[in-house]
Amino acid sequence: MSALIDDVELASGKGKDDENFPVASILIRRDLRRHVHAYYRFARNADDIADHPRLTAADKIARLDVMEAVLTGAATTGSASAAGLRASLAETGVDPVHARELLVAFRQDAVRHRYADWADLMDYCRYSAAPVGRYVLALHGESTASWPASDALCASLQVLNHIQDCKRDLAELDRSYLPGDWLAAEGLTAEAVDAPAASQGLRRVFDLMLDATAALNRTAAGLPDHVRSRGLRIETAIIAGLAQRLHRHLSRQDPVAGRVKLRPADAIGAIAVSLPRILA
């Protein structure tokens, strides 16, 4: 354990450019950007541990436990990103719960590989996605009244990413976030994504997930109306627009045949649609 405490973080090479949404963009208040980056570094490092293909489940959980210990001050060494976020939280007064809840999901990733149904997946998103939005809102001093719409947006982005990466997640991590009951209704298992293209049954599973995600997007569309900070209001409007555009791409393209991604034109379009809020 002493060697593990010395250095628990394992970089994957992924960064903010790999995300479907902007991280600490110029729309975020300048004095708050470094705090968003501190939170992102913590989340990125914890995610890298949970997704590491050569670590055992026990090793992953032990490393995540060290990150939490450093975050809460129970330990002083072992995770530079957790130490950085602890200092950031002390400076801003934001509750550490929004970081600790992420670790619930990452520990779950270490031991769980399948999800029974949509409700099961939404429970996972409550810890893997919702804390991100809640942290950013808390950092800006926004009301908790914004949480339901924020949770919906974060869950939408998470599910869309699950569909995007369904083939890679299975191949590299033996992990599937496709609801098991919807797969079973089509006579399929998670291994259905290991094919050159989606079967008709698998396409129906994707469409069920996208139908449910469309409902999340409808709730998420109201998020900017709950946000007082002008820059954050603009950013949430753009991100909600990006979620809708990625949803549209996934509805028309096959994520098994190739990874479906947002394009530069999508960002331009999302900004254009957000102009009424930008000018408000």
Side-chain angles (χ1 to χ4, degrees):
M1 180 64 75
S2 60
L4 196 155
I5 291 177
D6 289 341
D7 182 17
V8 301
E9 297 179 1
L10 296 167
S12 68
K14 293 181 181 178
K16 62 182 181 179
D17 293 337
D18 297 289
E19 307 292 356
N20 285 322
F21 53 89
V23 177
S25 77
I26 60 171
L27 293 171
I28 298 296
R29 251 174 48 199
R30 182 185 297 272
D31 61 308
L32 299 182
R33 290 177 207 161
R34 61 187 177 90
H35 297 295
V36 176
H37 283 299
Y39 184 88
Y40 179 78
R41 280 192 295 271
F42 174 86
R44 177 76 270 154
N45 278 285
D47 192 24
D48 288 347
I49 290 170
D51 286 356
H52 199 286
R54 293 186 298 278
L55 295 178
T56 66
D59 194 4
K60 290 177 180 181
I61 290 173
R63 289 170 182 266
L64 293 170
D65 287 348
V66 170
M67 291 191 73
E68 183 162 24
V70 174
L71 176 71
T72 61
T76 57
T77 62
S79 170
S81 67
L85 181 56
R86 183 180 72 236
S88 170
L89 294 172
E91 183 177 342
T92 61
V94 176
D95 196 319
V97 68
H98 307 303
R100 298 184 74 180
E101 285 185 341
L102 284 179
L103 297 177
V104 173
F106 294 138
R107 290 188 185 100
Q108 186 167 310
D109 277 335
V111 297
R112 284 198 65 182
H113 296 266
R114 302 290 186 270
Y115 287 81
D117 51 31
W118 181 257
D120 197 18
L121 185 59
M122 287 297 97
D123 182 69
Y124 171 77
C125 290
R126 164 63 186 84
Y127 294 97
S128 68
V132 178
R134 292 183 180 191
Y135 166 79
V136 174
L137 291 165
L139 182 65
H140 283 79
E142 299 292 343
S143 167
T144 57
S146 60
W147 283 12
S150 175
D151 289 355
L153 178 57
C154 292
S156 168
L157 291 168
Q158 180 77 92
V159 173
L160 294 172
N161 183 248
H162 289 330
I163 298 174
Q164 281 179 297
D165 290 344
C166 63
K167 191 165 188 170
R168 184 171 66 184
D169 284 343
L170 186 74
E172 297 180 2
L173 301 167
D174 186 31
R175 193 184 293 161
S176 173
Y177 298 97
L178 308 186
D181 59 341
W182 289 348
L183 286 167
E186 297 291 344
L188 302 173
T189 65
E191 287 67 29
V193 302
D194 185 18
S199 65
Q200 290 184 350
L202 184 57
R203 182 68 248 181
R204 285 191 286 270
V205 172
F206 290 148
D207 288 342
L208 285 172
M209 295 179 72
L210 290 167
D211 286 346
T213 305
L216 293 173
N217 283 341
R218 286 192 291 273
T219 300
L223 176 57
D225 297 329
H226 292 282
V227 176
R228 295 171 302 173
S229 169
R230 189 166 185 264
L232 185 60
R233 185 168 66 250
I234 297 167
E235 177 150 303
T236 56
I238 292 171
I239 294 174
L242 290 173
Q244 293 168 4
R245 286 169 179 274
L246 182 54
H247 181 281
R248 192 176 308 131
H249 290 321
L250 286 164
S251 297
R252 298 171 180 173
Q253 301 175 48
D254 181 1
V256 174
R259 194 172 192 269
V260 179
K261 298 186 293 185
L262 290 167
R263 300 166 298 191
D266 292 308
I268 295 170
I271 292 170
V273 170
S274 302
L275 279 176
R277 285 189 168 110
I278 293 174
L279 299 174

PDB file of all heavy atoms in Angstrom, residues 12-35:
ATOM      1  N   SER A  12      -4.351   8.681 -18.790  1.00  0.00           N
ATOM      2  CA  SER A  12      -4.782   7.905 -19.954  1.00  0.00           C
ATOM      3  C   SER A  12      -4.397   8.569 -21.267  1.00  0.00           C
ATOM      4  O   SER A  12      -4.469   7.958 -22.320  1.00  0.00           O
ATOM      5  CB  SER A  12      -6.300   7.747 -19.930  1.00  0.00           C
ATOM      6  OG  SER A  12      -6.925   8.995 -20.157  1.00  0.00           O
ATOM      7  N   GLY A  13      -4.035   9.850 -21.196  1.00  0.00           N
ATOM      8  CA  GLY A  13      -3.803  10.600 -22.420  1.00  0.00           C
ATOM      9  C   GLY A  13      -5.012  11.374 -22.876  1.00  0.00           C
ATOM     10  O   GLY A  13      -4.933  12.235 -23.749  1.00  0.00           O
ATOM     11  N   LYS A  14      -6.171  11.080 -22.277  1.00  0.00           N
ATOM     12  CA  LYS A  14      -7.374  11.832 -22.601  1.00  0.00           C
ATOM     13  C   LYS A  14      -7.319  13.198 -21.942  1.00  0.00           C
ATOM     14  O   LYS A  14      -6.681  13.380 -20.905  1.00  0.00           O
ATOM     15  CB  LYS A  14      -8.622  11.094 -22.109  1.00  0.00           C
ATOM     16  CG  LYS A  14      -8.921   9.784 -22.826  1.00  0.00           C
ATOM     17  CD  LYS A  14     -10.190   9.170 -22.274  1.00  0.00           C
ATOM     18  CE  LYS A  14     -10.524   7.857 -22.939  1.00  0.00           C
ATOM     19  NZ  LYS A  14     -11.744   7.241 -22.365  1.00  0.00           N
ATOM     20  N   GLY A  15      -8.031  14.143 -22.538  1.00  0.00           N
ATOM     21  CA  GLY A  15      -8.080  15.480 -21.978  1.00  0.00           C
ATOM     22  C   GLY A  15      -9.384  16.152 -22.351  1.00  0.00           C
ATOM     23  O   GLY A  15     -10.301  15.512 -22.867  1.00  0.00           O
ATOM     24  N   LYS A  16      -9.450  17.451 -22.104  1.00  0.00           N
ATOM     25  CA  LYS A  16     -10.705  18.170 -22.337  1.00  0.00           C
ATOM     26  C   LYS A  16     -11.117  18.170 -23.797  1.00  0.00           C
ATOM     27  O   LYS A  16     -12.309  18.282 -24.119  1.00  0.00           O
ATOM     28  CB  LYS A  16     -10.601  19.604 -21.811  1.00  0.00           C
ATOM     29  CG  LYS A  16      -9.536  20.454 -22.494  1.00  0.00           C
ATOM     30  CD  LYS A  16      -9.470  21.844 -21.874  1.00  0.00           C
ATOM     31  CE  LYS A  16      -8.433  22.705 -22.573  1.00  0.00           C
ATOM     32  NZ  LYS A  16      -8.375  24.066 -22.007  1.00  0.00           N
ATOM     33  N   ASP A  17     -10.163  17.992 -24.712  1.00  0.00           N
ATOM     34  CA  ASP A  17     -10.504  17.968 -26.134  1.00  0.00           C
ATOM     35  C   ASP A  17     -11.242  16.696 -26.526  1.00  0.00           C
ATOM     36  O   ASP A  17     -11.808  16.614 -27.617  1.00  0.00           O
ATOM     37  CB  ASP A  17      -9.236  18.106 -26.986  1.00  0.00           C
ATOM     38  CG  ASP A  17      -8.597  19.478 -26.844  1.00  0.00           C
ATOM     39  OD1 ASP A  17      -9.317  20.424 -26.479  1.00  0.00           O
ATOM     40  OD2 ASP A  17      -7.381  19.598 -27.092  1.00  0.00           O
ATOM     41  N   ASP A  18     -11.232  15.681 -25.642  1.00  0.00           N
ATOM     42  CA  ASP A  18     -11.931  14.427 -25.916  1.00  0.00           C
ATOM     43  C   ASP A  18     -13.381  14.475 -25.454  1.00  0.00           C
ATOM     44  O   ASP A  18     -14.132  13.520 -25.662  1.00  0.00           O
ATOM     45  CB  ASP A  18     -11.213  13.259 -25.227  1.00  0.00           C
ATOM     46  CG  ASP A  18      -9.811  13.056 -25.770  1.00  0.00           C
ATOM     47  OD1 ASP A  18      -9.691  12.609 -26.920  1.00  0.00           O
ATOM     48  OD2 ASP A  18      -8.839  13.352 -25.053  1.00  0.00           O
ATOM     49  N   GLU A  19     -13.799  15.546 -24.811  1.00  0.00           N
ATOM     50  CA  GLU A  19     -15.151  15.631 -24.274  1.00  0.00           C
ATOM     51  C   GLU A  19     -16.129  16.151 -25.323  1.00  0.00           C
ATOM     52  O   GLU A  19     -15.736  16.803 -26.296  1.00  0.00           O
ATOM     53  CB  GLU A  19     -15.179  16.559 -23.049  1.00  0.00           C
ATOM     54  CG  GLU A  19     -14.171  16.205 -21.963  1.00  0.00           C
ATOM     55  CD  GLU A  19     -14.471  14.904 -21.247  1.00  0.00           C
ATOM     56  OE1 GLU A  19     -15.519  14.289 -21.522  1.00  0.00           O
ATOM     57  OE2 GLU A  19     -13.652  14.490 -20.411  1.00  0.00           O
ATOM     58  N   ASN A  20     -17.429  15.885 -25.062  1.00  0.00           N
ATOM     59  CA  ASN A  20     -18.479  16.387 -25.937  1.00  0.00           C
ATOM     60  C   ASN A  20     -18.908  17.802 -25.569  1.00  0.00           C
ATOM     61  O   ASN A  20     -19.768  18.380 -26.226  1.00  0.00           O
ATOM     62  CB  ASN A  20     -19.711  15.468 -25.859  1.00  0.00           C
ATOM     63  CG  ASN A  20     -19.522  14.165 -26.608  1.00  0.00           C
ATOM     64  OD1 ASN A  20     -18.907  14.142 -27.672  1.00  0.00           O
ATOM     65  ND2 ASN A  20     -20.038  13.083 -26.058  1.00  0.00           N
ATOM     66  N   PHE A  21     -18.313  18.351 -24.530  1.00  0.00           N
ATOM     67  CA  PHE A  21     -18.719  19.668 -24.039  1.00  0.00           C
ATOM     68  C   PHE A  21     -17.483  20.478 -23.696  1.00  0.00           C
ATOM     69  O   PHE A  21     -16.416  19.918 -23.422  1.00  0.00           O
ATOM     70  CB  PHE A  21     -19.601  19.512 -22.796  1.00  0.00           C
ATOM     71  CG  PHE A  21     -18.975  18.668 -21.719  1.00  0.00           C
ATOM     72  CD1 PHE A  21     -18.160  19.240 -20.756  1.00  0.00           C
ATOM     73  CD2 PHE A  21     -19.189  17.307 -21.677  1.00  0.00           C
ATOM     74  CE1 PHE A  21     -17.569  18.473 -19.778  1.00  0.00           C
ATOM     75  CE2 PHE A  21     -18.600  16.517 -20.695  1.00  0.00           C
ATOM     76  CZ  PHE A  21     -17.787  17.104 -19.742  1.00  0.00           C
ATOM     77  N   PRO A  22     -17.585  21.807 -23.689  1.00  0.00           N
ATOM     78  CA  PRO A  22     -16.428  22.638 -23.343  1.00  0.00           C
ATOM     79  C   PRO A  22     -16.098  22.543 -21.865  1.00  0.00           C
ATOM     80  O   PRO A  22     -16.988  22.395 -21.025  1.00  0.00           O
ATOM     81  CB  PRO A  22     -16.884  24.049 -23.721  1.00  0.00           C
ATOM     82  CG  PRO A  22     -18.380  24.000 -23.663  1.00  0.00           C
ATOM     83  CD  PRO A  22     -18.767  22.607 -24.076  1.00  0.00           C
ATOM     84  N   VAL A  23     -14.812  22.587 -21.538  1.00  0.00           N
ATOM     85  CA  VAL A  23     -14.356  22.562 -20.148  1.00  0.00           C
ATOM     86  C   VAL A  23     -13.723  23.904 -19.825  1.00  0.00           C
ATOM     87  O   VAL A  23     -12.715  24.283 -20.413  1.00  0.00           O
ATOM     88  CB  VAL A  23     -13.337  21.428 -19.918  1.00  0.00           C
ATOM     89  CG1 VAL A  23     -12.811  21.472 -18.482  1.00  0.00           C
ATOM     90  CG2 VAL A  23     -13.967  20.070 -20.220  1.00  0.00           C
ATOM     91  N   ALA A  24     -14.348  24.642 -18.891  1.00  0.00           N
ATOM     92  CA  ALA A  24     -13.838  25.952 -18.466  1.00  0.00           C
ATOM     93  C   ALA A  24     -13.579  26.862 -19.667  1.00  0.00           C
ATOM     94  O   ALA A  24     -12.502  27.416 -19.838  1.00  0.00           O
ATOM     95  CB  ALA A  24     -12.582  25.799 -17.625  1.00  0.00           C
ATOM     96  N   SER A  25     -14.568  27.020 -20.516  1.00  0.00           N
ATOM     97  CA  SER A  25     -14.439  27.864 -21.693  1.00  0.00           C
ATOM     98  C   SER A  25     -14.352  29.339 -21.287  1.00  0.00           C
ATOM     99  O   SER A  25     -14.502  29.691 -20.111  1.00  0.00           O
ATOM    100  CB  SER A  25     -15.642  27.656 -22.621  1.00  0.00           C
ATOM    101  OG  SER A  25     -16.774  28.345 -22.117  1.00  0.00           O
ATOM    102  N   ILE A  26     -14.159  30.186 -22.275  1.00  0.00           N
ATOM    103  CA  ILE A  26     -14.043  31.624 -22.002  1.00  0.00           C
ATOM    104  C   ILE A  26     -15.358  32.212 -21.487  1.00  0.00           C
ATOM    105  O   ILE A  26     -15.376  33.351 -21.005  1.00  0.00           O
ATOM    106  CB  ILE A  26     -13.583  32.399 -23.253  1.00  0.00           C
ATOM    107  CG1 ILE A  26     -14.593  32.216 -24.403  1.00  0.00           C
ATOM    108  CG2 ILE A  26     -12.191  31.983 -23.673  1.00  0.00           C
ATOM    109  CD1 ILE A  26     -14.312  33.108 -25.585  1.00  0.00           C
ATOM    110  N   LEU A  27     -16.434  31.452 -21.577  1.00  0.00           N
ATOM    111  CA  LEU A  27     -17.705  31.933 -21.046  1.00  0.00           C
ATOM    112  C   LEU A  27     -17.755  31.847 -19.523  1.00  0.00           C
ATOM    113  O   LEU A  27     -18.558  32.529 -18.887  1.00  0.00           O
ATOM    114  CB  LEU A  27     -18.869  31.131 -21.646  1.00  0.00           C
ATOM    115  CG  LEU A  27     -19.089  31.327 -23.147  1.00  0.00           C
ATOM    116  CD1 LEU A  27     -20.103  30.330 -23.686  1.00  0.00           C
ATOM    117  CD2 LEU A  27     -19.550  32.756 -23.436  1.00  0.00           C
ATOM    118  N   ILE A  28     -16.907  30.982 -18.955  1.00  0.00           N
ATOM    119  CA  ILE A  28     -16.821  30.886 -17.503  1.00  0.00           C
ATOM    120  C   ILE A  28     -16.018  32.077 -16.977  1.00  0.00           C
ATOM    121  O   ILE A  28     -15.004  32.473 -17.561  1.00  0.00           O
ATOM    122  CB  ILE A  28     -16.118  29.564 -17.089  1.00  0.00           C
ATOM    123  CG1 ILE A  28     -16.936  28.357 -17.570  1.00  0.00           C
ATOM    124  CG2 ILE A  28     -15.916  29.508 -15.582  1.00  0.00           C
ATOM    125  CD1 ILE A  28     -18.301  28.228 -16.958  1.00  0.00           C
ATOM    126  N   ARG A  29     -16.483  32.647 -15.884  1.00  0.00           N
ATOM    127  CA  ARG A  29     -15.782  33.787 -15.293  1.00  0.00           C
ATOM    128  C   ARG A  29     -14.297  33.488 -15.119  1.00  0.00           C
ATOM    129  O   ARG A  29     -13.925  32.403 -14.648  1.00  0.00           O
ATOM    130  CB  ARG A  29     -16.399  34.106 -13.923  1.00  0.00           C
ATOM    131  CG  ARG A  29     -17.191  35.382 -13.889  1.00  0.00           C
ATOM    132  CD  ARG A  29     -17.888  35.563 -12.571  1.00  0.00           C
ATOM    133  NE  ARG A  29     -17.012  35.335 -11.415  1.00  0.00           N
ATOM    134  CZ  ARG A  29     -17.479  35.087 -10.193  1.00  0.00           C
ATOM    135  NH1 ARG A  29     -18.785  35.016  -9.992  1.00  0.00           N
ATOM    136  NH2 ARG A  29     -16.649  34.912  -9.192  1.00  0.00           N
ATOM    137  N   ARG A  30     -13.456  34.423 -15.495  1.00  0.00           N
ATOM    138  CA  ARG A  30     -12.005  34.205 -15.501  1.00  0.00           C
ATOM    139  C   ARG A  30     -11.503  33.701 -14.154  1.00  0.00           C
ATOM    140  O   ARG A  30     -10.668  32.793 -14.084  1.00  0.00           O
ATOM    141  CB  ARG A  30     -11.287  35.500 -15.890  1.00  0.00           C
ATOM    142  CG  ARG A  30      -9.772  35.359 -15.960  1.00  0.00           C
ATOM    143  CD  ARG A  30      -9.122  36.711 -16.220  1.00  0.00           C
ATOM    144  NE  ARG A  30      -9.515  37.246 -17.506  1.00  0.00           N
ATOM    145  CZ  ARG A  30      -8.894  36.990 -18.657  1.00  0.00           C
ATOM    146  NH1 ARG A  30      -7.834  36.190 -18.666  1.00  0.00           N
ATOM    147  NH2 ARG A  30      -9.301  37.524 -19.786  1.00  0.00           N
ATOM    148  N   ASP A  31     -11.984  34.275 -13.066  1.00  0.00           N
ATOM    149  CA  ASP A  31     -11.473  33.900 -11.746  1.00  0.00           C
ATOM    150  C   ASP A  31     -11.928  32.516 -11.306  1.00  0.00           C
ATOM    151  O   ASP A  31     -11.387  31.960 -10.346  1.00  0.00           O
ATOM    152  CB  ASP A  31     -11.893  34.942 -10.698  1.00  0.00           C
ATOM    153  CG  ASP A  31     -13.409  35.041 -10.578  1.00  0.00           C
ATOM    154  OD1 ASP A  31     -14.083  35.207 -11.617  1.00  0.00           O
ATOM    155  OD2 ASP A  31     -13.919  34.951  -9.454  1.00  0.00           O
ATOM    156  N   LEU A  32     -12.912  31.949 -12.014  1.00  0.00           N
ATOM    157  CA  LEU A  32     -13.416  30.625 -11.648  1.00  0.00           C
ATOM    158  C   LEU A  32     -12.848  29.504 -12.507  1.00  0.00           C
ATOM    159  O   LEU A  32     -12.974  28.328 -12.157  1.00  0.00           O
ATOM    160  CB  LEU A  32     -14.948  30.601 -11.741  1.00  0.00           C
ATOM    161  CG  LEU A  32     -15.705  31.564 -10.828  1.00  0.00           C
ATOM    162  CD1 LEU A  32     -17.210  31.388 -11.004  1.00  0.00           C
ATOM    163  CD2 LEU A  32     -15.303  31.359  -9.364  1.00  0.00           C
ATOM    164  N   ARG A  33     -12.212  29.862 -13.625  1.00  0.00           N
ATOM    165  CA  ARG A  33     -11.767  28.824 -14.563  1.00  0.00           C
ATOM    166  C   ARG A  33     -10.771  27.861 -13.944  1.00  0.00           C
ATOM    167  O   ARG A  33     -10.830  26.653 -14.175  1.00  0.00           O
ATOM    168  CB  ARG A  33     -11.177  29.468 -15.826  1.00  0.00           C
ATOM    169  CG  ARG A  33     -12.209  30.139 -16.700  1.00  0.00           C
ATOM    170  CD  ARG A  33     -11.553  30.818 -17.896  1.00  0.00           C
ATOM    171  NE  ARG A  33     -12.377  31.938 -18.349  1.00  0.00           N
ATOM    172  CZ  ARG A  33     -11.943  32.932 -19.097  1.00  0.00           C
ATOM    173  NH1 ARG A  33     -10.677  32.960 -19.496  1.00  0.00           N
ATOM    174  NH2 ARG A  33     -12.750  33.907 -19.457  1.00  0.00           N
ATOM    175  N   ARG A  34      -9.839  28.383 -13.153  1.00  0.00           N
ATOM    176  CA  ARG A  34      -8.829  27.495 -12.576  1.00  0.00           C
ATOM    177  C   ARG A  34      -9.466  26.491 -11.609  1.00  0.00           C
ATOM    178  O   ARG A  34      -8.975  25.364 -11.458  1.00  0.00           O
ATOM    179  CB  ARG A  34      -7.722  28.279 -11.881  1.00  0.00           C
ATOM    180  CG  ARG A  34      -8.164  29.140 -10.718  1.00  0.00           C
ATOM    181  CD  ARG A  34      -7.016  30.016 -10.216  1.00  0.00           C
ATOM    182  NE  ARG A  34      -7.428  30.910  -9.156  1.00  0.00           N
ATOM    183  CZ  ARG A  34      -7.381  30.596  -7.860  1.00  0.00           C
ATOM    184  NH1 ARG A  34      -6.941  29.399  -7.494  1.00  0.00           N
ATOM    185  NH2 ARG A  34      -7.759  31.467  -6.943  1.00  0.00           N
ATOM    186  N   HIS A  35     -10.573  26.876 -11.001  1.00  0.00           N
ATOM    187  CA  HIS A  35     -11.264  25.953 -10.100  1.00  0.00           C
ATOM    188  C   HIS A  35     -11.983  24.859 -10.895  1.00  0.00           C
ATOM    189  O   HIS A  35     -11.991  23.696 -10.477  1.00  0.00           O
ATOM    190  CB  HIS A  35     -12.243  26.722  -9.222  1.00  0.00           C
ATOM    191  CG  HIS A  35     -11.583  27.727  -8.323  1.00  0.00           C
ATOM    192  ND1 HIS A  35     -10.723  27.353  -7.303  1.00  0.00           N
ATOM    193  CD2 HIS A  35     -11.627  29.088  -8.320  1.00  0.00           C
ATOM    194  CE1 HIS A  35     -10.274  28.445  -6.688  1.00  0.00           C
ATOM    195  NE2 HIS A  35     -10.813  29.500  -7.284  1.00  0.00           N
TER     196      HIS A  35
END
